Amino acid sequence: MGLLRGAAVAVAAGGTAEQVAKAEAILAEARRALFEMLAEKPADVQPADKEPADAEATVAESADTLAAE
């Protein structure tokens, strides 16, 4: 993700007005697609950097989340 940030900074610093506008549109689409991907993720899947301490608690939390929605 840092490489994407670096490319965006480079375009902002040295790109033409047309390039900056195109980059903004690309980033807006990428941001939308990423949030859409997160919205489609099943509730019982943990983020990659977080392991559940108790599998039964995770299932219970997922059921509570679904009931609340």
Side-chain angles (χ1 to χ4, degrees):
M1 299 253 203
L3 294 175
L4 179 59
R5 183 179 313 136
V9 169
V11 171
T16 65
E18 184 179 328
Q19 290 170 325
V20 170
K22 187 173 181 179
E24 288 173 345
I26 290 168
L27 292 173
E29 174 61 23
R31 183 174 43 252
R32 184 204 59 77
L34 289 171
F35 280 119
E36 185 177 282
M37 177 190 63
L38 287 174
E40 294 173 355
K41 182 178 69 170
D44 62 342
V45 174
Q46 293 292 315
D49 64 342
K50 181 179 177 186
E51 290 294 323
D54 182 329
E56 290 178 353
T58 301
V59 172
E61 289 172 12
S62 297
D64 291 343
T65 301
L66 290 174
E69 294 177 354

